C-alpha cells in the first residue's frame, strides 16, 4: 500500500504572485545543487568524496532515467527561474525547489536543502507522492506558459 500523501506545510509552493524575483536571482548565485550519494544509483558523475553507494530505502534520482550532474543542475536552476520554491525557509533558502523534466515521462524532481548549508540534493517524486507531484506539474505548466 502506498504511503499516505499528506498536506505537509513545508512542501507548499510559493504562489507566483508572492515570489520575490530579486531573491530568486540571489538564490541562483548562492544556492548550489550537489546531489546526494544516497539517491544515486550510479554516483560516479557526481564525484562524491568519499565514494558512496545509495541507501536501499531511498528513492533513486535515476528511477525514471539516468540524470547526470549537469542535467540535475540545469533542472535545479530552471526551478529557481520559475520561482518553484517552498514557502518554508531554512534561513535565506527555501527548504524545497521543484523542477519537472518534460522530455520523457514528466518526472517531478524535488531538491531539499542540506541543513545549515546552501547545498541541495534531489530525488524523483514517486507515485506515493501523487498529490505534490500533481501540484508541481500544474504550477510548472502554468508558470512555463507565462514565462
Amino acid at each position: 500500500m502506498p504511503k499516505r500523501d499528506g498536506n505537509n506545510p513545508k512542501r507548499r509552493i510559493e504562489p507566483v504572485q508572492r515570489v520575490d524575483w530579486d531573491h530568486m536571482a540571489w538564490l541562483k548565485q548562492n544556492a548550489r545543487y550537489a546531489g546526494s550519494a544516497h539517491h544515486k544509483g550510479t554516483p560516479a558523475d557526481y564525484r562524491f568524496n568519499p565514494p558512496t553507494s545509495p541507501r536501499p530505502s531511498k528513492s533513486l534520482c535515476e528511477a525514471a532515467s539516468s540524470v547526470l550532474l549537469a542535467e540535475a543542475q540545469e533542472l535545479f536552476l530552471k526551478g529557481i527561474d520559475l520561482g518553484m520554491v517552498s514557502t518554508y525557509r531554512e534561513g535565506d533558502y527555501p527548504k524545497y525547489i521543484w523542477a519537472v523534466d518534460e522530455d520523457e515521462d514528466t518526472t517531478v524532481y524535488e531538491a531539499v536543502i542540506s541543513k545549515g548549508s546552501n547545498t541541495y540534493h534531489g530525488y524523483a517524486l514517486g507515485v506515493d507522492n501523487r498529490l505534490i507531484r500533481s501540484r508541481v506539474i500544474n504550477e510548472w505548466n502554468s508558470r512555463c506558459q507565462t514565462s
Side-chain angles (χ1 to χ4, degrees), residues 33 76 94-99 109-113 120-123:
Y33 180 84
F76 177 74
K95 182 167 179 73
Y96 298 102
I97 298 173
W98 294 278
Y109 293 99
E110 179 175 83
V112 63
I113 194 160
Y120 288 78
H121 67 276
Y123 39 84

Side-chain angles (χ1 to χ4, degrees), residues 46-64:
Y46 288 75
R47 297 188 176 103
F48 295 118
N49 191 9
T52 334
S53 294
R55 290 185 190 162
S57 62
K58 297 293 184 179
S59 63
L60 299 179
C61 281
E62 295 95 333

Side-chain angles (χ1 to χ4, degrees), residues 7 83 117 123 128:
N7 185 20
S117 76
Y123 39 84
D128 58 335

Side-chain angles (χ1 to χ4, degrees), residues 38-114:
H38 300 302
H39 297 282
K40 304 290 177 251
T42 53
D45 180 59
Y46 288 75
R47 297 188 176 103
F48 295 118
N49 191 9
T52 334
S53 294
R55 290 185 190 162
S57 62
K58 297 293 184 179
S59 63
L60 299 179
C61 281
E62 295 95 333
S65 63
S66 181
V67 179
L68 299 177
L69 179 59
E71 181 184 358
Q73 289 171 331
E74 185 179 312
L75 285 164
F76 177 74
L77 294 174
K78 176 78 173 183
I80 295 171
D81 284 341
L82 293 176
M84 293 292 296
V85 299
S86 62
T87 56
Y88 187 83
R89 302 276 190 257
E90 299 269 337
D92 290 329
Y93 297 90
K95 182 167 179 73
Y96 298 102
I97 298 173
W98 294 278
V100 177
D101 184 355
E102 301 172 83
D103 287 345
E104 294 181 22
D105 60 356
T106 316
T107 304
V108 175
Y109 293 99
E110 179 175 83
V112 63
I113 194 160
S114 299

